[in-house]
Amino acid sequence: MGTKYVIQRRALLAGGTVLSLVPVPGARVTAQVLDKVVFQTDWRAQAEHGGYYQAVANGIYRRYGIECDLRQGGPQQSPAQLLVGGRADMIMSNPFQAVNYVRERIPFLCIASIFQKDPVILMTHEEAGINGFEDMRGKPIMMSAAGRVTHWPFLRSRFGFSDSQIRSYTFNLQPFMADKGAIQQGFVSSEPFAAMQAGARPRVHLLADAGYEAYNTTIDISRKMATEKRDLVQRFIDATMEGWSQYMKGEDIGAANALIQAQNAEMPTDKMAYGLRVMQERKIVTDHEAATLGIGAMTHERWGRFYETMRDYGVYPAGLDIRQAYSLDFVNRRIGP
């Protein structure tokens, strides 16, 4: 016979929770029963997913009573389809997908945003002398199919780009390397590293610094789970934000990086270090609302501006109830940065 301890959670006035062990004298000691959550990322394991791996590797999810089945994505997967089909409890997503739920009347929504700045960039060669987006008018730009319906409308409206500039981008760096005048899309923590490794001197133009307000690396969930398992969802979000806070500070991240490499053998240590450093320098996770409301923060005002901007650009129809696309119930609890 031993003493059993149960986890007691106490809410703080400033947000967050305190976990404490409360003894239950005379009870038989048994293993803690963990709630399982399947979380699906949108691509292969990398530093840009580091906070989730930190929460797994350092036992943060388990401390919150959760067994997180963290599944990496890939080119043949659609996280939204896995979510809607019931094969994942939560997914890494983006704000466009959340608005699509509303437009298509599907009972899913966004409950947090890890990236306060969308990491999408346009990348040029240093030798081209392109100092900003204004200098790109009329020049060919390699753009993916997804980019043409998300950030391209912003570029076209804000900087006077025309559709005739679009060239196909197939995530192959060779066309960029072969042409010193080339312009291609990418992510601030990825393509520039590959270009430098190949011998180029890339110049990075971050759309977020030019007024592109979209959140990114969001977390989507079914309305059913958000309603019926609120405590579990809250514990998952709190643990996730704690993991991201640690990872962004570089605190004891060796185990997380090892787990990333175990899932993705093509992720070298120097590339992960570059990704983390760029996210830190650009404040991808910790800028804007996160600076005061904590990692994962979102606001009604910013969601409203995002929808109105994309509506005006012709991406979405008028009349959608944008507040059905997201919930603030689980964020803004001042965890981190």
Side-chain angles (χ1 to χ4, degrees), residues 267-281:
M267 185 52 58
T269 300
D270 57 349
K271 185 174 182 180
M272 285 194 293
Y274 177 85
L276 175 57
R277 185 175 73 251
V278 169
M279 288 193 293
Q280 291 170 332
E281 292 172 351

Side-chain angles (χ1 to χ4, degrees), residues 7-52:
I7 296 176
Q8 183 179 82
R9 295 176 177 82
R10 178 166 55 86
L12 295 175
L13 293 177
T17 58
V18 169
L19 304 183
S20 58
L21 294 177
V22 179
V24 183
R28 189 175 300 278
V29 178
T30 58
Q32 180 187 3
V33 177
L34 302 175
D35 295 310
K36 184 173 181 179
V37 172
V38 176
F39 186 83
Q40 177 72 52
T41 72
D42 63 354
W43 198 247
R44 297 188 182 100
Q46 53 192 282
E48 292 88 333
H49 305 166
Y52 301 104

Side-chain angles (χ1 to χ4, degrees), residues 11 20 28 36 78 89 109 112 120 145 151 154 163 193 219 247-248 256 271-272 275 334:
S20 58
R28 189 175 300 278
K36 184 173 181 179
S78 168
D89 297 311
L109 76 166
V120 69
H151 43 268
F154 164 80
D163 291 347
F193 177 84
I219 298 175
Y247 195 82
M248 291 307 300
K271 185 174 182 180
M272 285 194 293
R334 295 178 174 85

Side-chain angles (χ1 to χ4, degrees), residues 12 24 34 137 176 221 246 261 278 332 336:
L12 295 175
V24 183
L34 302 175
R137 292 192 190 99
F176 178 81
I221 188 174
Q246 289 184 12
Q261 291 178 315
V278 169
N332 303 343

